[in-house]
Amino acid sequence: MNDTNKHYWLKSGSYTLLLNIQQLLFGFGSFYFLVRMLDKQSFGVWTLFVAITSIFEMARSGLIQYALVKFLSESPEQEKPKIITASFILNATIMCVCIIVNISLAAWLARIWHYPELIRMFITFNGVYILQGLLSQFQWIEQAHFRFRGILITTMIRQGGFFLFVLISFLFHSHISLIDLIYAQAISIAVAIIAEYFYVREYLGFSHRIHYQWIGKLFGYGKFVFGTYLTTVLSGSVNQMMLGTMISPAASGSYNVAMRIVSLTDIPTNALGAIVFPQSAKRFAEQGVEAGKYLYEKSVGTIIAILVPAVIFIFSFPHLIVRLVAGIKYGEAAPMVQFIILTCLFSPFDRFFGVILDSIGRAKLNFVIIVSFFSLTLFLNYYLIGRIGIMGCIYGTLIADAVVVILRQILLYKILNVNPLSPFVYAWRFYPEFIRNYISPLIRK
């Protein structure tokens, strides 16, 4: 790897880490105060609203982001205005489709979730969606030119602005409605757009006419990423939607509390995944199958070793964790936390299966597995929620996770000769290695 590539990955990795930390602080911070300010019904409706609107945003990101970054970064200067123009047109088209779907669903969702104000919320969100589309477009163009500072700052403005509104409202005991939260999002994004423009304006060149071949290329490249992204988001949101529809929005809110707690354990998995992907792609190209096999087994083993103490602690003290995070009124989320934390032990197998397959050019197979997992989860949860209530969602997810992990291990054995026991060997070795390399030197000092 030459110096330019080293500099790029170091810089990209640093900004990615900062973005993840920032997202954790502002995202979890906003949740921490909102769950105490809103009643259970309102918080449940808000989680359902965010789950639906996240799908619209992920649809746009999946179809455009990676394709735009890829083609802009590798194309000659004379082609870049054509690509940027095509991406704006594709972005606008996706927004129009999503807004139509949004308006069409608003009244139906308000009826099944028994919250008439949802109609106004979804209509107001259309403005936020347009603003976010412009901000995302600017950030992707900046990313394609290997610049990240503006992305970091404007993401901080967008997320930090919303967090600041929630924090001030909490401190001053202000009554806020769900529509106020959408207005706060809109203002934060508008300020972020203005700031991002100054970082990206030198790269904003447009073509005088539409080049449909570039629209086709962008769409063609992004469709599989879109499918994977959308299915991933749906698999994370469908449980909330089913609970909100089959039981109540309050049940969805309790489930969201449990998932927020459990999601904290995803931090090491996501961080290591961002590092493993470029390394896996490079080493697979240079060294072949053995490199991918080693990286998968070592990475999964390391994350399992890190997760096991956290899983044991949360499983043993779920009521304490729920009370600290969400307050006493969400005590019924404790059994959900206790069982759904077990799914964290499956997440390294799931995450790095996708990372390794994408890096060796088997993205289509990864997409098929994700769709299969989503379908199985949907079927099991629908069946079990209808029979045993909210815990059916947890049991269904656990069963689906276990089945799909076994399927993935079979495929990895056939493709890369991965030994399903090797990650556990690496996990066991992690502790003495960690003590020898990091703890012992501190003690000797």
Side-chain angles (χ1 to χ4, degrees), residues 340-352:
I340 207 167
I341 193 66
L342 298 177
T343 63
C344 293
L345 298 176
F346 296 128
S347 65
F349 295 95
D350 297 342
R351 168 70 168 158
F352 291 106

Side-chain angles (χ1 to χ4, degrees), residues 242-292:
M242 292 175 72
L243 288 171
T245 303
M246 298 174 70
I247 301 179
S248 70
S252 176
S254 297
Y255 177 81
N256 183 265
V257 167
M259 289 305 300
R260 284 281 187 169
I261 294 170
V262 172
S263 68
L264 294 176
T265 62
D266 289 337
I267 296 170
T269 307
N270 293 334
L272 190 56
I275 297 169
V276 167
F277 180 81
Q279 281 295 319
S280 175
K282 176 178 180 290
R283 292 180 63 171
F284 184 82
E286 295 176 352
Q287 303 171 26
V289 170
E290 280 300 314

Side-chain angles (χ1 to χ4, degrees), residues 48 108-109 112-113 240-249:
L48 290 168
W108 177 67
L109 292 173
I112 66 172
W113 290 337
Q240 291 181 209
M241 297 179 204
M242 292 175 72
L243 288 171
T245 303
M246 298 174 70
I247 301 179
S248 70

Side-chain angles (χ1 to χ4, degrees), residues 120-291:
R120 185 181 170 205
M121 289 170 62
F122 277 112
I123 292 174
T124 304
F125 171 76
N126 290 331
V128 176
Y129 188 59
I130 293 171
L131 289 172
Q132 182 59 47
L134 184 58
L135 176 61
S136 297
Q137 188 80 41
F138 285 171
Q139 290 180 331
W140 298 335
I141 293 172
E142 183 186 1
Q143 181 185 357
H145 290 85
F146 310 127
R147 301 289 187 272
F148 304 95
R149 183 175 298 176
I151 298 172
L152 179 64
I153 291 174
T154 54
T155 302
M156 184 181 298
I157 293 171
R158 176 174 63 85
Q159 295 179 335
F162 180 78
F163 168 74
L164 192 61
F165 171 77
V166 173
L167 176 61
I168 291 173
S169 301
F170 178 81
L171 293 176
F172 287 92
H173 305 285
S174 302
H175 172 75
I176 58 173
S177 65
L178 299 187
I179 201 75
D180 292 333
L181 298 176
I182 301 174
Y183 291 144
Q185 286 181 333
I187 294 171
S188 301
I189 295 171
V191 175
I193 289 172
I194 296 171
E196 180 63 39
Y197 172 76
F198 290 99
Y199 285 99
V200 80
R201 58 182 174 178
E202 63 181 293
Y203 309 119
L204 289 176
F206 295 93
S207 172
H208 295 296
R209 66 185 183 90
I210 300 172
H211 294 266
Y212 292 99
Q213 70 271 26
W214 275 116
I215 296 177
K217 285 182 179 180
L218 290 170
F219 183 81
Y221 185 88
K223 61 186 179 184
F224 279 120
V225 179
F226 161 75
T228 301
Y229 266 40
L230 187 59
T231 309
T232 302
V233 172
L234 281 173
S235 64
S237 304
V238 70
N239 292 344
Q240 291 181 209
M241 297 179 204
M242 292 175 72
L243 288 171
T245 303
M246 298 174 70
I247 301 179
S248 70
S252 176
S254 297
Y255 177 81
N256 183 265
V257 167
M259 289 305 300
R260 284 281 187 169
I261 294 170
V262 172
S263 68
L264 294 176
T265 62
D266 289 337
I267 296 170
T269 307
N270 293 334
L272 190 56
I275 297 169
V276 167
F277 180 81
Q279 281 295 319
S280 175
K282 176 178 180 290
R283 292 180 63 171
F284 184 82
E286 295 176 352
Q287 303 171 26
V289 170
E290 280 300 314

Side-chain angles (χ1 to χ4, degrees), residues 370-386:
I370 290 174
V371 171
S372 301
F373 170 67
F374 171 71
S375 302
L376 180 60
T377 303
L378 188 67
F379 170 76
L380 289 172
N381 286 355
Y382 180 80
Y383 178 81
L384 291 173
I385 290 172

